[in-house]
Amino acid sequence: MGDKTEAIAPVAAPHRTSRSIDYKPNLEPSDSFEVFRKEEGAVDFRTVEWIHASVIFMKGKSGSASSVSHATKPFALFATGVLSIPSALYTLGAFPGSVNIVGWCFLNTYCAIVQGNFRNRHPGCHSIGDMAEVVGGKWLREVVGVLFLLTWSIASASGVFGSSVALNALSDHAICTNYFMLVSMIAIFILASVRKFQKIAWLTWVGFLSIFIAVFIVVIGVTVRDRPAAAPQTGDFDLGYRVIGNPDFVAGITAVATIFSAGAGTSAFIPVISEMRKPKDYNKAVYLAMGIVSASYLTFSLVVYRWCGQWVASPSLGSAGGTIKKVSYGVGMIGLLVSACIWVHTAAKYLFVRILRGSKHFQANSVVHWATWLGCTFTLSAIAFLLAIAIPIFNYLVALCGSLTFAPLALGLPAYLFIYDHPEWRKNGTWWMSLVYWLNWLLIPLAAFLTIGGTYGVIQGVINAYKNGEIGGAFSCADNSGSS
């Protein structure tokens, strides 16, 4: 993946500063600096409207579709968070959990806007890796590129895992779970191989609605039961609803990382800008997506936790009993697959651009073009499958994403992008501008803490789970849906 003749031209766009993170250029960036260009005879990738971009963001935000233990990613965002956050609320308690949801959603939205504004000032950037090259050179691009691929490989693995949970629930664990994961991988590969984000946007509408309706069914289902489905069905029982929890460090940091990762997939937003008709409309798409997702996270998760307490199922779609679980998984199955499809597509598009950018095959319907594209989607789908069967605990996959990869990509690096683009805010701006400048510096150690502490917590949690017999070994055929 050597440098191509048409390399990134980060300084070609005029450097501009703004007194607001909502800054938008007055004019469209020059087409000559865009990654995908509108040229005669070339495939036109820039066909995504901002409303479609918003749905892609909601359906593809990082995380996983469920969680597997009481200790524990807008669409990519929505499917992940809304199914994993209720278990995290039990660990932290309703109030600290709610503060975490609101706080992390705000920070993730802010960092998404910072990334978009930076990209539109440097329109030659296709990914977070390209943006890293602008501020840190080629070595930082490669480091961030590896993190980006690792992030979305883990996220895709969580999608494969979540889809296998659904198939197990619907079939009462009819066959080995590994076969269900293989079936999920094949379906995800086919969906992810759709070449343009515009085409995937139509899938995301269906996917988002399916998972939203599925979760809504569960929310209604848990409120009409006398007691949680997983609780003892006779005699007295402790609901376990806690306003403030008392977790140890490992459980607490894992839960925090899970909530953070539910909205931290913003590094995947950047490639979508390169395929938008009007890149300056990116901020509108982000605000709409993050607003809907944040409100849904808070309301749905609190309702499920209030009615289920410590008996919230993992994944939470099973919290209303066997019948509702099958109905909700049946309705939400397409949503789980589309989420993973977006994650695989995003990572594959990064590889594709790195390999072919600047060549004659980049926007041509040639054999090399298609072979490269399908090779990227298949390779990443296969890696997701291998990760899913090797780490059979979903919530730890989500938390691992949040700590090891999302923290530096979605929190630390965006803060430095802002600092790089706004040096005058430190001395020449108002007191408010100076405050914002230094607060961005504080995000960098926060990202470092979440990376180190969160990764330690996840690793220790996995060790404890194996030691306590909470999960089986890798490559196990055991039911992961609690249906048998």
Side-chain angles (χ1 to χ4, degrees):
M1 294 187 292
D3 292 339
K4 304 298 181 183
T5 56
E6 296 180 37
I8 302 166
V11 297
H15 179 77
R16 301 183 181 183
T17 57
S18 159
R19 293 179 178 268
S20 168
I21 64 169
D22 287 325
Y23 169 76
K24 298 178 182 179
N26 293 325
L27 299 174
E28 285 285 326
S30 172
D31 187 66
S32 62
F33 295 117
E34 287 291 341
V35 178
F36 297 108
R37 303 173 183 178
K38 294 180 179 292
E39 298 175 343
E40 185 177 353
V43 177
D44 185 9
F45 281 86
R46 290 170 55 190
T47 54
V48 178
E49 300 289 351
W50 75 267
I51 190 68
H52 293 153
S54 185
V55 179
I56 291 172
F57 298 160
M58 283 190 282
K59 195 69 187 75
K61 214 170 170 187
S62 171
S64 95
S66 58
S67 87
V68 185
S69 109
H70 68 282
T72 210
K73 271 139 148 244
F75 176 110
L77 291 177
F78 184 75
T80 295
V82 79
L83 300 182
S84 58
I85 288 177
S87 292
L89 290 183
Y90 170 71
T91 302
L92 299 173
F95 178 71
S98 298
V99 171
N100 267 270
I101 293 172
V102 174
W104 287 123
C105 284
F106 172 80
L107 277 180
N108 285 325
T109 302
Y110 170 78
C111 289
I113 295 298
V114 168
Q115 292 175 75
N117 286 344
F118 186 93
R119 187 270 171 202
N120 283 336
R121 292 187 185 98
H122 308 269
C125 296
H126 171 262
S127 68
I128 192 75
D130 294 337
M131 292 156 65
E133 182 181 9
V134 174
V135 301
K138 294 182 183 297
W139 73 270
L140 187 59
R141 178 184 69 175
E142 301 305 333
V143 170
V144 170
V146 169
L147 281 177
F148 184 84
L149 290 175
L150 180 61
T151 295
W152 297 109
S153 294
I154 295 174
S156 301
S158 72
V160 172
F161 187 97
S163 299
S164 73
V165 172
L167 291 172
N168 266 322
L170 291 170
S171 68
D172 292 322
H173 187 47
I175 59 175
C176 173
T177 295
N178 292 335
Y179 291 125
F180 279 140
M181 289 191 183
L182 180 61
V183 171
S184 300
M185 185 213 81
I186 294 172
I188 290 165
F189 161 66
I190 293 172
L191 293 174
S193 295
V194 175
R195 189 172 48 170
K196 298 182 184 180
F197 272 118
Q198 179 209 18
K199 303 299 182 183
I200 288 184
W202 296 108
L203 288 176
T204 60
W205 280 105
V206 177
F208 178 76
L209 288 175
S210 74
I211 200 70
F212 191 94
I213 294 172
V215 172
F216 196 68
I217 290 172
V218 173
V219 170
I220 294 175
V222 298
T223 62
V224 298
R225 294 184 62 93
D226 293 332
R227 59 181 65 200
Q233 296 304 297
T234 58
D236 295 332
F237 74 102
D238 177 20
L239 179 63
Y241 177 84
R242 299 179 294 188
V243 176
I244 299 178
N246 186 32
D248 59 22
F249 177 79
V250 171
I253 196 67
T254 301
V256 168
T258 298
I259 294 175
F260 164 69
S261 69
T266 53
S267 61
F269 294 3
I270 306 307
V272 180
I273 302 179
S274 296
E275 297 189 35
M276 292 180 68
R277 290 186 188 276
K278 297 180 179 179
K280 69 178 183 179
D281 286 341
Y282 166 81
N283 287 2
K284 290 193 295 186
V286 170
Y287 286 135
L288 177 61
M290 296 299 279
I292 293 175
V293 167
S294 300
S296 299
Y297 281 176
L298 188 63
T299 54
F300 286 178
S301 298
L302 282 174
V303 170
V304 171
Y305 177 54
R306 171 61 185 86
W307 288 91
C308 295
Q310 66 178 312
W311 307 101
V312 61
S314 295
S316 61
L317 289 185
S319 298
T323 300
I324 296 295
K325 178 169 74 171
K326 288 189 175 183
V327 172
S328 61
Y329 270 122
V331 173
M333 182 69 196
I334 184 63
L336 298 175
L337 291 173
V338 173
S339 289
C341 146
I342 292 176
W343 298 326
V344 170
H345 182 99
T346 299
K349 189 64 70 69
Y350 171 81
L351 278 179
F352 175 79
V353 171
R354 285 296 305 274
I355 294 170
L356 291 185
R357 186 175 185 175
S359 77
K360 65 180 181 180
H361 302 288
F362 187 44
Q363 287 182 252
N365 283 314
S366 65
V367 173
V368 172
H369 175 104
W370 278 104
T372 303
W373 172 240
L374 294 177
C376 290
T377 55
F378 179 79
T379 298
L380 289 164
S381 298
I383 291 173
F385 167 72
L386 293 174
L387 286 173
I389 62 176
I391 310 177
I393 221 172
F394 187 71
N395 62 304
Y396 290 111
L397 275 178
V398 180
L400 185 62
C401 255
S403 57
L404 182 62
T405 60
F406 282 155
L409 289 184
L411 202 60
L413 183 57
Y416 188 70
L417 295 177
F418 182 90
I419 293 167
Y420 176 89
D421 247 6
H422 299 80
E424 77 287 354
W425 283 38
R426 181 169 65 93
K427 292 183 178 180
N428 302 328
T430 65
W431 69 269
W432 170 250
M433 295 166 69
S434 180
L435 176 63
V436 171
Y437 178 88
W438 289 111
L439 286 176
N440 274 276
W441 272 111
L442 290 179
L443 290 181
I444 296 176
L446 175 62
F449 169 77
L450 198 59
T451 300
I452 298 170
T455 301
Y456 166 78
V458 172
I459 293 174
Q460 189 59 50
V462 171
I463 293 173
N464 293 340
Y466 275 112
K467 184 183 299 183
N468 298 332
E470 296 177 13
I471 56 176
F475 309 104
S476 171
C477 280
D479 181 16
N480 58 8
S481 70
S483 300
S484 60

